[in-house]
Amino acid sequence: MSDLTDLYQEVILDHNKSPRNYREPDSFNRDAIGHNPLCGDRIRLYLQIEEGRIADVAFQGSGCAISQASASLMTEALKGITVEEFEKLFGRFHSLVTGKIVEGSQQDLGKLVVFSGVSQYPVRVKCATLPW
């Protein structure tokens, strides 16, 4: 395994073991529930949107390391951005995990780039995108 692959795997395992923003917030004005019956992943996402901006985001759920790490890293990436920026970010993330993103154009994805290897395992794309 390459050093970069090892690093990516380490980040995913860390976010699975110690997910960030794993909680039910005191206040939220949007929530959604996602379930993948094929593998059992379950996610409940909570958003506090104020004036078109994501003021807070959190999640609860259970599932594989990919779905939990994706939810954790997603919550970190979404705090403070606008709903429009979220939609663009999801498009870029989806392109990454489905292998449609051009190599070298991943800079704007930040830590989310750790999911680049998911494209090699199409069945795992649903795990990575469920929280989104």
Side-chain angles (χ1 to χ4, degrees):
M1 237 188 248
S2 74
D3 289 341
L4 191 56
T5 302
D6 289 345
L7 174 63
Y8 287 178
Q9 185 175 25
E10 198 173 302
V11 171
I12 289 171
L13 292 174
D14 177 52
H15 276 266
N16 176 55
K17 184 178 177 183
S18 302
R20 283 48 156 197
N21 302 300
Y22 187 91
R23 60 187 166 80
E24 181 175 343
D26 294 333
S27 66
F28 57 93
N29 55 16
R30 307 280 194 290
D31 71 316
I33 296 173
H35 175 233
N36 183 348
L38 297 176
C39 66
D41 293 341
R42 294 180 179 275
I43 298 285
R44 182 166 182 193
L45 184 66
Y46 306 94
L47 292 162
Q48 181 67 37
I49 299 177
E50 298 172 359
E51 297 179 12
R53 191 167 293 279
I54 300 170
D56 193 19
V57 57
F59 78 101
Q60 291 182 313
S62 61
C64 69
I66 297 293
S67 70
Q68 296 299 289
S70 180
S72 177
L73 284 157
M74 177 195 70
T75 62
E76 289 188 322
L78 297 187
K79 281 188 182 178
I81 69 172
T82 66
V83 173
E84 292 79 21
E85 290 168 330
F86 158 75
E87 291 169 356
K88 289 178 185 174
L89 182 61
F90 172 68
R92 301 276 300 146
F93 180 76
H94 191 265
S95 293
L96 174 76
V97 298
T98 57
K100 296 176 186 166
I101 198 164
V102 177
E103 188 66 34
S105 65
Q106 305 167 347
Q107 306 89 316
D108 62 333
L109 289 170
K111 291 180 183 178
L112 295 170
V113 76
V114 300
F115 294 100
S116 61
V118 169
S119 65
Q120 298 171 19
Y121 308 95
V123 73
R124 306 298 284 186
V125 170
K126 290 180 182 175
C127 302
T129 58
L130 178 67
W132 293 80

